[in-house]
Each structure stands twice: as structure tokens, then as C-alpha cells.
Amino acid sequence: MATQLPKFDEIKDILVDYFEIDDEDIRPDAHLYEDLGLDSIDAVDLVIKLQEITGRKIRPEQFRDVRTVDDVVTAMEKLLAD
Amino acid sequence: MWPLERIWRSIGTSWVFFTFGVGGLLMSVTIIPLLAILPIGQERRRRWARTAISWGFSSVPWQIEKLGLGRFEIENEELLQQAGGCLMLPVKHPTLIDVVVLISRIPQADCVAKHSVWRNPFMALMVRTAGYVSNRQPEDVVATAAERLQTRPVPFIIFPEGTRTVPGEPIRFRRGAARMALASGAPIMPVVMDCRPPTLNKETPFYHVPDRVWTLKIRVLEPRPLESFAEVQGLPESLAVRRLNNALLSFFERELSEL
């Protein structure tokens, strides 16, 4: 958990700054669509934002199973490990 | 036990639905396939199909009024003449009928329909020939709306709520309409609508008519630029969409309270 913290915070910042989500709602198990109210176009925007930050190209299949904030963190870890 | 008058309205409403279904079916095996094969070009085919659809749709409000099932109060109908190239936002979406009335008054309007219609064997050819837009891919809908608004002199109708309003609950907007407004830069034409008492909504079957004759009010407002709702210049898109969406929501809440 401790190693995930900085990345979680980074993603949390994006969600707060670009999607106006209350920061207390953003927990690792929060569901992006149901709990945080993102829609499918927001998800695309989020991917673009993450691409900008990491400087890596994200393929749609790497993000297909992403549902929660923690899934985003895991997907990013995998991406950076590749 | 319902009074006779109410039973009559229930039967009448069922009749109107029946004629609508049969009429649609007849059209989808006659005029529509004919238009689809005639060598008249995409543009004319689309225009004629829309004319036929709106003509069929206008039979619904006509019958409803003649049979005394419901009333229509349309304010500023003449403003619809200025709707070309506007993003038309009707709020609320109280009944099945309101959209039928709108299409019957603005025959050439572009609109979005549920993707399931494209899979319905009877309706598929109709929506395809008329060139309506499927809601399957949200990104595509926004891009298509923007492209059409910039290239065609007809209004594009999108219901910001995305589905019929649940009676008694506060209105909620999906963000698609705001995205279309931002992507197209088109003027926004608000249309404020409500039906009292509620009927033909998601909660009640169509034959369960209210205890008195309903009135559908439709107030058309002048087109206005999106900047008149919210200052979004220079904001990242995700924020601009939210700001505009919130501004539209408060605008319509205000307008609805005065309807």
C-alpha cells in the first residue's frame, strides 16, 4: 500500500483538478463511473491526461478493465513496468 | 372504478398508440423502402424521409386533441423558424409525446435515437434513411452533432437529461449536451417543457391515464450563444463541460419554475 501512495495521490489530484470531484470521495475502491460520476468521454480525457504525465502511449486494452481508482493505479504501474 | 370519462381517455390513448404503431409499420414497408431505393441522392432521400416521419408524427397530437385526451400549449412557436443551425435543448422530457410534437413541428431536425432502434427490423431502415444519429458511441455522437451543426442549416435536438424525466425528482443532466455545445460552438435554443398532471412517463403504463386531462406546455426560447450561460474560455475541456453543464442546469431549473 505504501508504495502506491504517491501514485494514488497523483491520480487523485487529476480527478480533483480536472473533473471537479470532491477529494473525500476519492478512495482506492471508489468506482469511477458509479461513485465519481465520470462518463465514457471523461475516461478518454483521463487517459489522455495520464499519457501526458507519463509520456507513454496508453492502448485502449490496457484500460479496458479499469473500474476503480485503484485499478487506474494498478494499470499505471503495469504500464510503467513494461 | 374509474369514471366513464377516464375509461374513455384510457381507450383513446391506447387507440392513438395503436395507430402510431400501425402507421409506423406501414410506412416502414412502403414509403421508406421506396425512398431508400429511389435514385434521388442522399440529401433528398433524407429530407423526404424526415418529412414523411414528421407527417406521421403530427397525427399523434392531432388525434390527442380531437379525442380530448390531452392539450398542447406551445409558446413562441414562431421562434422555431430561427432554429436552423442551433443546438436545441428540450428540458424536461416529461412524456413520450413531447418529442413527437417537436419532430412534427420541426420536420428537418437532426436528432439522436437509441441504438436499439437500429437493430429493430422495422425501424432500422427508417432511422437510417432519415439519417438520425445513434447514441451507441458517445464520442461519435458529439463529433457528429458538431459536424452537422457546422454544415447543415437544421437544428440538432438533444435532450440533456438523456432519458425521460422521473416525475417528482430533480432534473439531472448527462454531460453530452454541454459537450456538443462546446464542440460545435452552435447557438443554444432552449425549449422548456412540462406536462401536468404527469402522464406517459417511465413510471406508468400508457393506458393508466391521469385523473384529469393533461396539458403539455412547451415554451420555445430565443437562441443564445453558449457564452451567455458560462464563461469557459481557456478552461480544459473536462472543466468547461462541467461548468457549462451546471450553468445550463440552473438556467433550466429557473425557467421551469416559471413555466
Side-chain angles (χ1 to χ4, degrees):
Chain A
M1 197 62 207
T3 54
Q4 285 187 7
L5 272 176
K7 282 175 207 130
F8 173 78
D9 284 343
E10 236 174 303
I11 286 156
K12 184 174 176 171
D13 287 345
I14 298 174
L15 292 171
V16 172
D17 294 346
Y18 289 91
F19 299 95
E20 294 188 330
I21 296 167
D22 280 342
D23 63 16
E24 59 259 39
D25 291 342
I26 306 171
R27 293 180 323 272
D29 62 343
H31 195 291
L32 297 177
Y33 301 104
E34 283 154 28
D35 301 326
L36 305 182
L38 294 194
D39 58 35
S40 56
I41 301 182
D42 290 331
V44 175
D45 285 349
L46 176 62
V47 169
I48 293 171
K49 206 82 229 146
L50 293 169
Q51 290 189 146
E52 284 171 17
I53 289 171
T54 58
R56 303 269 186 119
K57 185 98 185 75
I58 300 174
R59 292 191 308 277
E61 61 267 25
Q62 293 171 301
F63 239 73
R64 189 177 301 136
D65 300 323
V66 168
R67 297 285 178 276
T68 64
V69 178
D70 205 29
D71 291 344
V72 179
V73 175
T74 314
M76 296 310 293
E77 274 173 357
K78 269 200 206 143
L79 183 77
L80 294 173
D82 278 351
Chain B
M1 186 62 188
W2 283 2
L4 216 54
E5 176 276 337
R6 192 171 178 187
I7 294 171
W8 153 252
R9 283 189 288 114
S10 175
I11 295 171
T13 305
S14 310
W15 164 256
V16 175
F17 268 78
F18 174 72
T19 61
F20 186 61
V22 171
L25 203 64
L26 283 177
M27 254 175 68
S28 69
V29 296
T30 55
I31 306 174
I32 298 296
L34 187 67
L35 286 176
I37 56 165
L38 277 179
I40 49 176
Q42 180 84 44
E43 202 40 57
R44 201 175 301 164
R45 187 175 292 135
R46 188 194 307 245
R47 207 163 60 233
W48 290 3
R50 289 183 185 189
T51 304
I53 290 170
S54 88
W55 176 81
F57 274 22
S58 61
S59 72
V60 171
W62 184 81
Q63 289 196 80
I64 286 175
E65 283 203 309
K66 292 291 169 200
L67 296 174
L69 310 170
R71 282 188 284 263
F72 301 95
E73 289 179 13
I74 307 184
E75 261 179 71
N76 311 333
E77 200 181 336
E78 71 285 354
L79 286 177
L80 294 177
Q81 306 296 328
Q82 303 173 29
C86 288
L87 183 65
M88 179 176 281
L89 305 182
V91 180
K92 305 183 257 187
H93 185 0
T95 70
L96 282 171
I97 305 293
D98 48 69
V99 59
V100 174
V101 174
L102 284 180
I103 298 289
S104 74
R105 306 292 164 126
I106 330 163
Q108 296 309 324
D110 264 309
C111 63
V112 177
K114 264 190 264 184
H115 184 67
S116 59
V117 176
W118 270 258
R119 286 197 298 257
N120 175 319
F122 292 106
M123 312 262 290
L125 191 61
M126 196 180 298
V127 284
R128 260 197 6 233
T129 313
Y132 292 143
V133 181
S134 152
N135 70 349
R136 188 158 74 137
Q137 289 288 349
E139 301 85 11
D140 294 351
V141 182
V142 172
T144 307
E147 190 255 344
R148 295 207 181 173
L149 280 163
Q150 283 157 2
T151 53
R152 296 212 192 114
V154 299
F156 194 105
I157 303 176
I158 181 80
F159 286 84
E161 294 168 279
T163 184
R164 268 177 288 162
T165 315
V166 181
E169 281 190 20
I171 51 171
R172 295 186 54 192
F173 285 1
R174 309 260 196 98
R175 287 184 286 268
R179 286 187 198 280
M180 289 177 189
L182 287 166
S184 65
I188 292 171
M189 181 174 250
V191 177
V192 191
M193 313 199 286
D194 207 358
C195 185
R196 293 190 200 105
T199 187
L200 300 170
N201 49 53
K202 285 189 146 178
E203 310 283 282
T204 39
F206 66 87
Y207 50 83
H208 196 279
V209 296
D211 58 0
R212 56 187 194 282
V213 176
W214 50 262
T215 302
L216 177 63
K217 277 196 187 183
I218 301 180
R219 179 182 288 163
V220 185
L221 300 179
E222 280 183 16
R224 56 205 75 198
L226 77 90
E227 293 80 22
S228 76
F229 293 96
E231 188 53 66
V232 294
Q233 201 78 50
L235 288 177
E237 198 193 310
S238 55
L239 287 179
V241 164
R242 283 165 167 77
R243 199 146 305 170
L244 179 60
N245 199 46
N246 291 339
L248 286 169
L249 187 63
S250 6
F251 172 85
F252 277 105
E253 281 169 343
R254 205 162 53 241
E255 290 294 331
L256 277 163
S257 69
E258 290 163 11
L259 185 68

